Amino acid sequence: MSTFLSYTSYDGSRISCQRAGRGEPLVVLPGGPGMAPGYLGDLGGLGRRRTLVLVHPRGTGHSDVPADRDTVSFVHQARDVEALRRHLGLERIDLLAHSAGCLTAQEYLAAHPDRVRRAVLAAPVGRAAREADEAELAALRASRSGEPWYADAAEADRLLAEGGAGAAGAAALQRRILPFFWHTWTADTAAEYRPEHACSLPWYREAFYAGSAAPEELRDRLARFAAAATPVLVLAGAFDGMIGTNPARAVAACHPRARLEVLARSGHRMWVEEPERFVGLVEEFLGAAEAPVAGGLLSPLPR
């Protein structure tokens, strides 16, 4: 059973969260951008071990649509995380984010490194922007050519790349390429996609990614990550044809105390396809003792 809580963020917007599970709290940021957190379920059973505080990002789910669209940027949404920490009365939080939500999480880590005990970044889209490697994605998708759904998904992928389908047409094509995002495409994985989880605001995606670092800003953004000592677990699905594994590898490389795990039988939602492995990795990481200090610096986590 879950309960709702809401709090007032820095600009007066009301942000909602669902609290579910038992145990120590774990703040959870969904992806999308703009997805309501219902698609996360109990994260493969993680809610039986942790109290999940599932955030409805501003403009989604039960949270307010802000008057100022600029505040939907992931850089500004990090301020909502800090307001939540204060509302919960916690000195430090454990944080888990998925997909686009990992941009918000990393911005929060950079701004408040002393406020996060440990962070899990699942299928991150990039470091300070969406950084899909198109060559890797093409190879991942081509590797599925023996699947019964491949011909239809590949045609939809080609039509999307050509453009000109219009908003309604593009949405239909996006549904046809969903099998690329999974290790195994079945009726059960298809049922994971429900309309009520998606954001209905047509401007949301552009506003969210407006916080992305321009090429000339990227070095300074990454320097902020390198200056933080927060332990980070980065998870990727080996068959993730939505974002690939290279963004996760780049994310792990830029956090000095990061550990990377690639789940061999997962796509973009590893808690669905490998729930035991996912929960085991996250629980082991969150429950681990702090790494010892060596030579005045925090030792990196094993990779």
Side-chain angles (χ1 to χ4, degrees):
M1 179 180 294
S2 63
T3 58
F4 279 89
L5 65 90
S6 63
Y7 65 96
T8 302
S9 194
Y10 68 95
D11 63 344
S13 295
R14 296 291 293 175
I15 308 297
S16 290
C17 304
Q18 288 170 257
R19 191 197 301 261
R22 60 187 179 210
E24 292 297 313
L26 175 63
V27 174
V28 179
L29 306 180
M35 294 278 282
Y39 80 95
L40 297 167
D42 71 346
L43 286 171
L46 190 58
R48 293 194 289 271
R49 309 182 188 201
R50 289 270 167 164
T51 297
L52 306 178
V53 183
L54 299 149
V55 177
H56 292 236
R58 57 176 54 218
T60 72
H62 295 281
S63 292
D64 285 352
V65 177
D68 182 358
R69 294 183 182 182
D70 289 346
T71 65
V72 165
S73 156
F74 66 84
V75 173
H76 291 297
Q77 288 202 39
R79 300 175 70 182
D80 295 333
V81 180
E82 174 61 5
L84 173 59
R85 182 197 66 79
R86 292 173 178 269
H87 179 80
L88 295 174
L90 298 173
E91 182 176 350
R92 294 197 297 172
I93 60 173
D94 285 333
L95 183 63
L96 183 149
H98 178 236
S99 193
C102 295
L103 292 175
T104 304
Q106 290 178 97
E107 181 62 29
Y108 183 71
L109 286 175
H112 301 281
D114 56 331
R115 297 304 186 188
V116 182
R117 193 185 71 88
R118 286 178 177 257
V120 179
L121 304 176
V125 299
R127 298 165 298 177
R130 196 176 192 277
E131 297 179 301
D133 181 331
E134 295 303 327
E136 183 195 23
L137 286 182
L140 279 171
R141 295 179 183 189
S143 73
R144 313 302 296 277
S145 61
E147 303 279 1
W149 46 261
Y150 176 80
D152 182 68
E155 180 187 38
D157 195 26
R158 176 181 61 79
L159 293 172
L160 276 171
E162 292 174 356
L173 293 174
Q174 289 283 356
R175 288 192 292 273
R176 289 169 58 188
I177 69 169
L178 291 176
F180 284 130
F181 306 163
W182 295 83
H183 173 260
T184 305
W185 182 247
T186 65
D188 288 339
T189 50
E192 288 289 317
Y193 294 91
R194 291 159 50 185
E196 63 267 28
H197 295 157
C199 181
S200 61
L201 300 173
W203 50 265
Y204 197 97
R205 183 180 181 85
E206 181 179 358
F208 180 87
Y209 282 117
S212 298
E216 65 273 14
E217 300 171 328
L218 185 58
R219 179 178 295 182
D220 289 342
R221 291 274 196 103
L222 298 187
R224 297 171 69 213
F225 299 156
T230 305
V232 176
L233 173 64
V234 184
L235 302 175
F239 285 81
D240 186 351
M242 174 185 283
I243 195 64
T245 65
N246 284 343
R249 299 178 196 279
V251 165
C254 76
H255 291 278
R257 299 186 66 205
R259 168 185 170 188
L260 172 67
E261 293 283 350
V262 180
L263 282 72
R265 296 182 301 281
S266 287
H268 198 62
R269 301 187 184 186
M270 60 279 293
W271 64 90
V272 176
E273 298 198 277
E274 294 187 75
E276 292 183 4
R277 176 76 170 143
F278 174 82
V279 171
L281 286 169
V282 173
E283 262 304 282
E284 175 193 24
F285 173 73
L286 293 179
E290 294 294 327
V293 175
L297 297 175
L298 288 165
S299 300
L301 295 174
R303 294 176 186 265

